[in-house]
Amino acid sequence: MTADTLAAPRTPQGKAAVRKKGPNLEKWGWVFMRVSGVLLLVLIFGHLFVNLMVGKGISALDFAFVAGKFSNPFWQWWDVLMLWLAFIHGTNGMRTIVNDYVTNAKVRRVLVTSLWVVAGFMILLGTLVVFTFDPCIPNLDGSVLAEVCKAQG
């Protein structure tokens, strides 16, 4: 294969690629992907180790286990950080794929905007669930959790 057979790089509407002034968002997106990927490895494997290996292992996973974890601010922030990084990391990856393969600028803009809106909505919902979780749901008569909730008032 020679250089003559390679296609020229795609530029917007045939214009020469010109570097705009201001921050290089693509560079910072690239740096974010590397840093968040390493942090996600630590967060995810830490999450899996605590949930599946520590204590009674997978047989201990139930509503009370989750309620106990979500009552601890450390685990709330651990899970929220994992949620935020995972959604932003995944959305940025999808944005890169859309930018690479969608040639129509309007369609690309709609898809990328949709990605970020949906990711922002899901991050908001997930954060609300973690920080507003109430383990004392009604109609738990006779369970251990009901006794703990009654003792708390």
Side-chain angles (χ1 to χ4, degrees):
M1 176 181 273
T2 65
D4 296 335
T5 61
L6 295 176
R10 179 173 56 90
T11 58
Q13 289 124 10
K15 297 178 184 175
V18 176
R19 169 79 169 95
K20 295 179 183 178
K21 291 184 180 182
N24 187 346
L25 295 179
E26 288 298 323
K27 177 184 84 171
W28 289 111
W30 182 89
V31 170
F32 171 79
M33 294 297 276
R34 273 57 190 177
V35 172
S36 67
V38 171
L39 284 172
L40 279 168
L41 283 173
V42 171
L43 291 169
I44 290 169
F45 283 110
H47 175 86
L48 290 172
F49 180 76
V50 167
N51 288 343
L52 303 177
M53 306 294 274
V54 175
K56 295 180 185 176
I58 196 167
S59 62
L61 288 180
D62 59 6
F63 183 80
F65 178 83
V66 174
K69 273 189 73 178
F70 281 170
S71 67
N72 184 337
F74 175 81
W75 290 115
Q76 285 179 330
W77 283 106
W78 183 286
D79 285 352
V80 163
L81 183 60
M82 188 169 50
L83 171 87
W84 278 62
L85 284 176
F87 264 109
I88 296 170
H89 183 95
T91 303
N92 194 39
M94 288 299 297
R95 179 196 61 84
T96 302
I97 292 170
V98 168
N99 285 342
D100 285 348
Y101 291 105
V102 178
T103 57
N104 186 307
K106 289 180 182 178
V107 173
R108 186 170 47 247
R109 191 175 319 117
V110 167
L111 289 173
V112 169
T113 302
S114 300
L115 282 169
W116 287 114
V117 167
V118 169
F121 184 67
M122 296 300 288
I123 287 171
L124 177 69
L125 286 180
T127 304
L128 284 172
V129 165
V130 170
F131 288 119
T132 63
F133 182 77
D134 183 12
C136 297
I137 58 176
N139 302 325
L140 286 177
D141 298 330
S143 72
V144 174
L145 189 56
E147 299 301 322
V148 172
C149 290
K150 286 179 187 175
Q152 289 179 350

